[in-house]
Amino acid sequence: MLSAIGASILETLYVMGWMGIVLFLLAIVNIVGSTVYNVKQKQEGFSFKRLFGGLGRTALFYGSSIFVAVAFTIVPYINEMISSSFGVELFGSDMLQTLSSVGVLGVCVATIIKMGQKALEGIKRLSSVTSEEKITWEVEEEEESENEE
């Protein structure tokens, strides 16, 4: 039974690893958009502390979703342990396996939606950044260089 639990957990971690790549890309979009917005629009200085704080929150969010997915993966095996120990089956194995799969899928989808929402907010912020420098076609001559000659 322990080998089956381990195999299920490894399969869940494999899925969560692919989800991690998606989350990493969404987090980069959010962080870049928010950083450019804060520096350009809000005139705030760039802060590595704030940058690493955002990366840390993203990692914590991802790690928490992994633990929840692993917990959903283990539920059917806990039911089997209770059945073999006490002779009472609380729920059918098929039903718990389905609920476990739906739980893992739900965690993945909810996590991607939440990070996608943050990435869209970063893009929206980035689109509101304007340049203070106006580009014109006029040629401006430097008066100081002419006076020196």
Side-chain angles (χ1 to χ4, degrees), residues 52-91:
F52 290 127
L55 289 173
R57 283 190 300 276
T58 301
L60 182 63
F61 183 68
Y62 175 59
S64 298
S65 62
I66 287 174
F67 287 132
V68 171
V70 168
F72 276 120
T73 302
I74 295 174
V75 168
Y77 298 104
I78 292 173
N79 186 50
E80 287 180 26
M81 288 179 200
I82 291 172
S83 296
S84 64
S85 295
F86 300 109
V88 177
E89 187 172 331
L90 300 175
F91 297 102

Side-chain angles (χ1 to χ4, degrees), residues 14-47:
Y14 177 76
V15 170
M16 297 302 283
W18 281 106
M19 187 185 78
I21 293 171
V22 172
L23 290 180
F24 176 74
L25 294 172
L26 292 173
I28 292 299
V29 168
N30 179 36
I31 289 170
V32 167
S34 297
T35 301
V36 170
Y37 174 78
N38 289 338
V39 170
K40 288 286 189 181
Q41 288 297 106
K42 294 174 100 179
Q43 300 297 321
E44 295 178 2
F46 179 79
S47 169

Side-chain angles (χ1 to χ4, degrees), residues 42-43 51-52 94 100 105 109 113 122 127 133-134 139:
K42 294 174 100 179
Q43 300 297 321
L51 175 69
F52 290 127
D94 292 338
S100 173
L105 181 63
V109 169
I113 287 173
S127 69
E133 181 180 336
K134 293 184 181 180
V139 177

